[in-house]
Amino acid sequence: MTIGGAAQPERRGNLWTEALERNPEHSKNYADRWRRIEASGQDVYGEARLIDAMAERGARILDAGCGTGRVGGWLAQRGHTVVGVDLDPYLIEVAQEDHPDADWQAVDLGQMDLRQPYGDRIRFDLVVMAGNVMTFVASDERRLVLERIADHMDPDSRFVCGFGAGRGYSFDEFFADADAAGLTLDLRLGTWDLKPAADDFLVAVFSRR
């Protein structure tokens, strides 16, 4: 799209909800696939192991866009206090069934405002966002999602996010949105097992300004 001679980024809606509109079985198929993968014995916990290595014992961890609870559930089993949020109620039900040690909530990340019983906002030691979540977010809500994440971080918290290239959201756009949301890029990697920065995949570690 071009306005006044300058190319403008394409606007699009949330890709997950659009997929559900096309196929109401999308969430069930996704959950069934991950259950089969986990049951097969494949290692699907690389992201969680990295977060566990970064965390103090019993850390407060937010699994943002948690899906079926693969990452947050593994961390909860190791003694961390985990809250997982996802906009898809079906996936939250699967997470609750498969990983009962964590607190799973059906929440849109762009509207996330997690509170203690006495009213204060919950703040986390670490926030993890695995599984290409940011690339599913509607283009006009990306910065808002990152702002909500920053709102739930302590001053010494870290936010770790990973996603692949070629999904309609460039790494440079992501870095610009994160900066505008009050996040400082501390480390850029190419994989969850700490390989150097690459062009095809990003794992980024942020702190809150």
Side-chain angles (χ1 to χ4, degrees):
M1 179 179 180
T2 302
I3 298 177
Q8 300 294 317
E10 181 181 357
R11 296 185 60 172
R12 59 170 176 77
N14 186 289
L15 297 187
W16 189 267
T17 55
E18 290 178 358
L20 280 173
E21 290 172 359
R22 293 192 301 270
N23 176 16
E25 295 293 303
H26 177 70
S27 298
K28 183 180 184 302
N29 294 339
Y30 174 86
D32 288 346
R33 179 169 64 87
W34 274 109
R35 278 174 162 166
R36 289 195 300 271
I37 292 172
E38 291 188 62
S40 73
Q42 293 187 49
D43 181 11
V44 295
Y45 305 114
E47 304 102 321
R49 286 199 301 274
L50 173 60
I51 298 304
D52 184 52
M54 295 173 63
E56 298 286 343
R57 296 305 83 194
R60 298 159 301 167
I61 299 176
L62 172 63
D63 186 356
C66 62
T68 58
R70 174 177 57 90
V71 173
W74 191 94
L75 292 165
Q77 289 177 353
R78 276 129 193 99
H80 300 294
T81 299
V82 176
V83 177
V85 301
D86 197 284
L87 61 73
D88 191 319
Y90 181 85
L91 298 185
I92 290 297
E93 290 179 6
V94 173
Q96 290 168 339
E97 181 178 346
D98 291 358
H99 307 285
D101 295 326
D103 176 13
W104 308 106
Q105 301 187 31
V107 176
D108 187 323
L109 289 173
Q111 301 172 20
M112 182 173 61
D113 186 14
L114 306 175
R115 297 279 174 170
Q116 301 282 4
Y118 49 82
D120 286 357
R121 177 173 284 134
I122 301 174
R123 310 235 180 226
F124 295 90
D125 303 306
L126 275 165
V127 181
V128 57
M129 182 184 280
N132 297 303
V133 171
M134 281 302 302
T135 66
F136 286 93
V137 174
S139 56
D140 59 357
E141 293 183 355
R142 292 165 177 164
R143 190 169 297 180
L144 177 60
V145 166
L146 294 169
E147 289 171 353
R148 291 290 181 265
I149 287 170
D151 287 343
H152 287 81
M153 295 170 63
D154 277 328
D156 59 349
S157 298
R158 286 168 292 177
F159 166 46
V160 189
C161 180
F163 63 91
R167 292 174 170 268
Y169 191 23
S170 74
F171 298 156
D172 286 343
E173 288 177 298
F174 172 60
F175 293 144
D177 287 339
D179 181 69
L183 297 166
T184 298
L185 178 65
D186 296 326
L187 179 64
R188 175 177 176 174
L189 299 165
T191 64
W192 288 93
D193 59 352
L194 308 184
K195 289 184 174 63
D199 293 332
D200 62 337
F201 198 84
L202 170 72
V203 176
V205 181
F206 297 89
S207 56
R208 195 190 98 182
R209 288 199 298 276

